[in-house]
């Protein structure tokens, strides 16, 4: 049957053959290019060490905002908005970090108990320094993490997740220096996961399955495990594996498409794909390549970033042909929003 069909098809005119041809897989549109204005001091460890940033907005003086970032080989770093290091907490092997309000949580899959742990800190607005409060062992080997404040209940939640594909949701209650942590949900997302973002404006949890794409779950503890797909890797998708960092700012969602050294952009309301951009070499900082974690905010962060900032981890810090310890790049957010509305 297939042989006879191929003989008859071969006799058709070229115009008919063209009409019958299957459409080619859509190619990724070229990424627009933006540049960073600030880069942080490199992390202290060499190799694949830096990973994930989280932006803390100062409650009264935006210019005094800071970035908390991971050196997963043994430190949690705090940088000011010029990229200068103002604190290093050694002994924290956190791979990812996130924060809400003054509470900072890192996910450490090197914890001695074998299951990983969440390290919980509080940041002091007067000093901009972190103070350790508690370590919470997890039921997953905590690798990635994101935090969420429920608009319905006001409760704080953390979502540690694992390269095994397991995800856990914890309710965190912080009263002074006391922390109470309660596991409220545990499920399996499939293969390796890491990047996640919990969105208070929509009540959704965005979870990156590294070789598959980005899934959208409900962020409330009663939401169950039903999900939809934001975007995928491979044919028909716009992400080049690994799917890594996920964040949102203003009316846009951003995803680190590690395999293509760029970032995909989506509408925060409709979740429609809008395009992609890369962070290229500039006069003030070099590019972002092989990026793991990202973060962004549209909040005013002072004169250098009055409309917010996008931050990317750089996996190969240095101009072409050179390399230094990894660090993080700060891009004024308006340089990106000008490209995507």
């Amino acid at each position: 049957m297939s042989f006879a069909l191929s003989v008859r098809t071969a006799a058709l005119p070229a115009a008919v053959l063209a009409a019958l041809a299957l459409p080619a897989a859509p190619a990724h549109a070229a990424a627009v290019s933006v540049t960073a204005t600030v880069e942080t001091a490199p992390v202290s460890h060499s190799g694949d060490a830096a990973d994930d940033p989280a932006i803390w907005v100062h409650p009264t003086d935006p210019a005094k905002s800071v970035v908390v970032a991971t050196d997963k080989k043994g430190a949690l770093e705090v940088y000011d908005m010029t990229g200068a290091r103002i604190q290093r907490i050694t002994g924290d092997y956190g791979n990812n970090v996130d924060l809400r309000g003054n509470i900072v949580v890192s996910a450490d899959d090197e914890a001695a108990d074998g299951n990983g742990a969440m390290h919980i800190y509080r940041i002091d607005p007067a000093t901009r320094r972190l103070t350790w409060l508690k370590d919470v062992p997890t039921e997953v080997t905590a690798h990635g993490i994101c935090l969420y404040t429920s608009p319905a209940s006001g409760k704080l939640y953390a979502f540690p997740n694992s390269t095994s594909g397991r995800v856990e949701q914890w309710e965190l209650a912080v009263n002074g220096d006391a922390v109470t942590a309660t596991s409220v949900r545990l499920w399996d997302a499939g293969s390796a996961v890491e990047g996640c973002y919990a969105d208070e404006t929509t009540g959704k949890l965005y979870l990156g399955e590294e070789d598959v794409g980005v899934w959208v779950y409900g962020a409330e503890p009663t939401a169950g495990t039903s999900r939809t797909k934001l975007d995928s890797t491979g044919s028909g998708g716009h992400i080049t594996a690994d799917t890594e960092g996920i964040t949102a700012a203003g009316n846009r969602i951003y995803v680190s498409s590690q395999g293509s050294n760029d970032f995909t952009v989506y509408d925060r309301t409709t979740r429609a794909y809008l395009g992609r951009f890369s962070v290229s070499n500039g006069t003030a900082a070099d590019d972002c390549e092989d990026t793991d974690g990202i973060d962004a905010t549209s909040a005013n962060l002072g004169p250098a970033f009055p409309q917010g900032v996008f931050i990317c981890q750089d996996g190969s810090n240095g101009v072409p042909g050179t390399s230094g310890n990894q660090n993080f790049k700060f891009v004024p957010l308006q340089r990106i929003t000008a490209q995507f509305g």
Side-chain angles (χ1 to χ4, degrees):
M1 292 291 291
S2 59
F3 176 76
L5 178 61
S6 64
V7 172
R8 288 196 296 269
T9 302
L12 293 174
V16 176
L17 286 173
L20 290 173
L22 293 174
H28 289 172
V32 300
S33 177
V34 299
T35 57
T37 57
V38 168
E39 59 180 311
T40 67
V43 298
S44 58
H45 293 93
S46 60
D48 184 21
D51 198 289
D52 190 42
I55 303 163
W56 177 76
V57 181
H58 194 282
T60 59
D61 188 346
K64 291 183 178 179
S65 299
V66 301
V67 175
V68 183
T70 60
D71 174 349
K72 59 194 176 190
K73 291 190 174 181
L76 197 62
E77 310 272 18
V78 183
Y79 302 100
D80 67 18
M81 297 313 297
T82 72
R85 183 185 295 107
I86 60 176
Q87 185 182 15
R88 174 186 285 129
I89 300 172
T90 60
D92 187 320
Y93 291 82
N95 187 76
N96 275 195
V97 64
D98 201 9
L99 58 84
R100 287 294 186 274
N102 292 344
I103 302 303
V104 180
V105 183
S106 70
D108 183 352
D109 55 10
E110 300 291 329
D113 70 351
N115 283 332
M118 296 183 291
H119 302 306
I120 302 174
Y121 303 86
R122 182 178 56 242
I123 188 167
D124 183 349
T127 63
R128 300 185 295 170
R129 296 176 68 84
L130 274 61
T131 299
W132 173 84
L133 299 179
K134 187 173 184 174
D135 292 341
V136 177
T138 66
E139 292 296 323
V140 302
T141 307
H143 187 70
I145 198 162
C146 53
L147 301 189
Y148 172 72
T149 302
S150 169
S153 67
K155 294 180 178 179
L156 176 65
Y157 295 98
F159 293 92
N161 57 71
S162 171
T163 54
S164 70
R166 300 186 82 197
V167 186
E168 191 171 16
Q169 183 172 4
W170 284 80
E171 180 184 326
L172 303 178
V174 182
N175 184 9
D177 291 343
V179 178
T180 302
T182 306
S183 180
V184 295
R185 188 164 47 146
L186 177 66
W187 75 96
D188 191 340
S191 59
V193 293
E194 179 181 351
C196 67
Y197 175 76
D199 191 347
E200 283 88 358
T201 66
T202 62
K204 299 299 183 183
L205 170 68
Y206 295 85
L207 182 67
E209 191 176 1
E210 292 188 356
D211 293 331
V212 177
V214 178
W215 296 102
V216 185
Y217 293 84
E220 294 294 327
T222 57
T225 59
S226 62
R227 64 185 186 179
T228 58
K229 187 173 283 185
L230 173 72
D231 204 347
S232 61
T233 62
S235 178
H238 303 98
I239 302 169
T240 305
D242 289 349
T243 301
E244 289 286 346
I246 308 170
T247 190
N251 59 355
R252 299 292 178 252
I253 299 168
Y254 303 102
V255 176
S256 171
S257 190
Q258 190 177 59
S260 51
N261 296 323
D262 57 19
F263 309 93
T264 48
V265 185
Y266 308 86
D267 185 279
R268 196 169 181 175
T269 302
T270 66
R271 302 180 200 153
Y273 170 73
L274 301 178
R276 59 201 315 112
F277 69 93
S278 62
V279 177
S280 303
N281 289 318
T283 58
D286 63 296
D287 60 357
C288 274
E289 296 181 340
D290 197 31
T291 295
D292 282 307
I294 59 176
D295 200 11
T297 180
S298 58
N300 171 20
L301 300 178
F305 302 99
Q307 297 179 47
V309 69
F310 174 89
I311 300 178
C312 49
Q313 179 260 5
D314 182 8
S316 56
N317 181 33
V319 297
T322 69
S323 182
N325 286 6
Q326 297 174 343
N327 68 352
F328 301 86
K329 270 56 178 194
F330 298 3
V331 181
L333 190 64
Q334 67 269 26
R335 295 189 176 187
I336 300 168
T337 57
Q339 303 287 342
F340 298 99

